[in-house]
Amino acid sequence: MQVRDWMTHPAISIKPQAMVWDALQLMVGGNFRRLPVLENGDLVGIITQGDIQNRIFLSMLPTASPDIPPALKSSVEAIMSRQVVTVTADTEITEAAVKMLSHNIGGLPVLEGDAVVGMITVRDLFNALIELEKQTRQHAVHLEEEVRARTRHLEILNNAIRAATRSLETEQVFTDITSVIRELFPFDRSSVLLLNDAGDAFVLYELYVNAPVDVRSGDRVPREGTLSGWVVDRNQPTYVEDLSTQTSRFPNSELHTLRGMGSAIVLPLAAHGTVFGTLNFASKAVKAFSQLDFDLAQQVSYQVAQALNNVRQYQRVNELLAQLREADRVRNEFMGIVTHDLRSPLASIYGYIQLFQAQKLGPLPDKYMGFTNNICDIIQYMLRLVEDLLAVGQLGARALKIHPETVAVPPFVQELVAGLETQALARQVSLGATCPDGVYVLADPARLRQLLTNLIVNGIKFNRADGRVSVDVTVEETMICFDVSDTGVGIAQHDLTNIFELFTRASTEKSMDGTGLGLFIARQLADLHGGSIRVHSTPDVGSTFSLRLPKATSTPIASTTATLEAQRQ
């Protein structure tokens, strides 16, 4: 608020040649404490009641005396001040008030350049300050209302965020969003248009309708010639105050989603820089939405876009998972069929070879006995490979079950080592085992045999000539530890972290035959038993695999060589 809005026109002033009496009369009549002194329109000074009081003791003057004291007959110029306190028309009211209070004066001349254009008094200032206070109160009320409105909008936006992230199903997201957007601002129609896979049309999802419509949720809406298509092409939110002025630009909008509407807000739905649809609000009235409505609608559209993008990503992940599950199922089924078809003929061949070795079909020359031993080793390797493939398939399908029982460890380990001695001798590797008496482990005998066999065979295969593989059993408080150690090529430090992964082989073993199945199966079987397996290795020195399985709390019902042989067959 400026002085120009409240100053008096014309300015009450006096000439320097006038009598002090005249100045006093003007002051008393206008309730002023000072007057500007003008000469030919120029401000040359100012005279105040203080100036007059310095010359005359006013309280002794007779109020109705026709005689004028001599001091009041002198000219104003004799007592006027040359230092004039003034304001300009552009001065703020508050600054004028400060000047009046600091100089204890009741009025100020108002200058425009060097010319006096008016006067502002305490009375003017008082009225101005009253008006200013009134305006301030009105502004405060308006601000309070705006704060309440924005607080409400923030609550709605927060509700929109929660509603948008509550579900990962498209229809449910739209249902949750609809309950929130009704609280945003008045509108007659709201919808979401999502681009189809081809990108040439939208699929319509109605959120709220309070007007006759020609299309329904699920209908196809063309992209070309629509306001939504224009917004998607430019990734630009827009507010059309009067849709009747845009029918020539967007003829399909009038024919479809915006028929009968007067104004509309259309907002792009985008994620990661890709626009995939629009969120629309429409009203029958022209210019129905404010700037605040437009801003809030943009914030809501961002949340809707993120929610729909989450749904899209979730659906894609589910599709990929379904494809992976199907591929995994086919793989496991194939592996089951192949391993079954391989195991039966291999077992038959192994049985016939054992007949030859036992010379049940007649004497066999010594030179052929060596061949039968080699054939038996190869068949045993192939049978183990078949068992590993079958186990991998069952593990992948979560179909592998174990049946733990109490197993006497000393005879079990001795029989296992004895069955692998031929293979160790063929590679010039010594094989031995140590185990205290009276040790029992809780394990599935068949799976324990498979697990330890994989570890021992690896130790033999990746060993050097004249090397050694040892199986050492120790007893802990609640676990039985099987340490399978070898003096082979070892495993590099960078390979140790992944050595138990499927189809993973150490870099030091790449030149040797192997499938990368054994250690993966060992880890999985150890986990199924509630145990663990770890490895410590030094390249060119050897490796130690430590298998820990639960200790049995009772002695076995039966654990004989015959049982082990039956399991092996």
Side-chain angles (χ1 to χ4, degrees), residues 462 505-514:
F462 300 113
R505 301 181 62 209
S507 56
T508 53
E509 303 170 355
K510 293 295 177 66
S511 60
M512 303 179 188
D513 295 333

Side-chain angles (χ1 to χ4, degrees), residues 442-507:
L442 185 63
D444 182 321
R447 295 306 177 186
L448 178 59
R449 180 176 181 277
Q450 183 181 11
L451 200 164
L452 289 175
T453 298
N454 279 338
L455 297 179
I456 296 171
V457 169
N458 276 352
I460 296 171
K461 181 166 53 174
F462 300 113
N463 218 316
R464 62 175 183 270
D466 300 325
R468 176 173 176 77
V469 175
S470 62
V471 182
D472 301 305
V473 180
T474 55
V475 181
E476 300 177 356
E477 184 177 356
T478 60
M479 307 293 282
I480 304 298
C481 183
F482 300 82
D483 288 330
V484 180
S485 304
D486 65 67
T487 57
V489 295
I491 303 170
Q493 187 67 31
H494 64 270
D495 289 327
L496 290 177
T497 55
N498 300 320
I499 197 65
F500 293 103
E501 299 297 326
L502 185 61
F503 302 123
T504 298
R505 301 181 62 209
S507 56

Side-chain angles (χ1 to χ4, degrees), residues 255-499:
L255 291 174
H256 293 84
T257 56
L258 297 178
R259 179 186 292 276
M261 297 293 108
S263 53
I265 293 174
V266 181
L267 309 151
L269 298 175
H272 308 297
T274 301
V275 184
F276 56 85
T278 62
L279 174 62
N280 314 302
F281 299 94
S283 174
K284 298 174 185 176
V286 174
K287 298 182 180 179
F289 305 109
S290 66
Q291 182 62 43
L292 184 61
D293 296 338
F294 185 54
D295 294 342
L296 184 59
Q298 290 186 73
Q299 295 174 356
V300 171
S301 71
Y302 174 79
Q303 300 303 327
V304 173
Q306 297 309 305
L308 292 177
N309 183 63
N310 290 341
V311 170
R312 287 151 60 93
Q313 296 301 325
Y314 175 72
Q315 291 172 343
R316 288 172 184 168
V317 168
N318 277 344
E319 290 172 0
L320 289 175
L321 285 175
Q323 294 173 7
L324 289 174
R325 290 192 188 100
E326 178 61 18
D328 196 50
R329 185 194 66 78
V330 172
R331 185 200 67 177
N332 292 332
E333 184 177 335
F334 174 76
M335 290 180 67
I337 294 171
V338 170
T339 52
H340 179 271
D341 290 348
L342 284 174
R343 184 166 51 178
S344 296
L346 286 173
S348 298
I349 296 172
Y350 186 65
Y352 286 125
I353 293 297
Q354 286 184 318
L355 289 176
F356 282 115
Q357 287 182 319
Q359 300 189 18
K360 298 290 185 180
L361 302 178
L364 191 69
D366 292 340
K367 66 177 180 179
Y368 295 123
M369 290 297 292
F371 293 132
T372 60
N373 290 335
N374 290 337
I375 293 172
C376 282
D377 289 342
I378 293 171
I379 292 175
Q380 285 179 337
Y381 168 76
M382 294 183 68
L383 284 171
R384 284 196 300 271
L385 179 59
V386 168
E387 289 295 331
D388 286 348
L389 288 172
L390 183 60
V392 169
Q394 291 175 329
L395 287 168
R398 300 182 183 274
L400 192 146
K401 306 296 182 183
I402 63 170
H403 305 284
E405 59 183 72
T406 300
V407 177
V409 176
F412 186 94
V413 171
Q414 291 299 330
E415 290 294 331
L416 184 63
V417 168
L420 296 171
E421 281 183 349
T422 302
Q423 185 174 343
L425 290 174
R427 289 184 175 262
Q428 300 179 7
V429 174
S430 63
L431 177 61
T434 61
C435 178
D437 294 332
V439 178
Y440 301 97
V441 68
L442 185 63
D444 182 321
R447 295 306 177 186
L448 178 59
R449 180 176 181 277
Q450 183 181 11
L451 200 164
L452 289 175
T453 298
N454 279 338
L455 297 179
I456 296 171
V457 169
N458 276 352
I460 296 171
K461 181 166 53 174
F462 300 113
N463 218 316
R464 62 175 183 270
D466 300 325
R468 176 173 176 77
V469 175
S470 62
V471 182
D472 301 305
V473 180
T474 55
V475 181
E476 300 177 356
E477 184 177 356
T478 60
M479 307 293 282
I480 304 298
C481 183
F482 300 82
D483 288 330
V484 180
S485 304
D486 65 67
T487 57
V489 295
I491 303 170
Q493 187 67 31
H494 64 270
D495 289 327
L496 290 177
T497 55
N498 300 320
I499 197 65

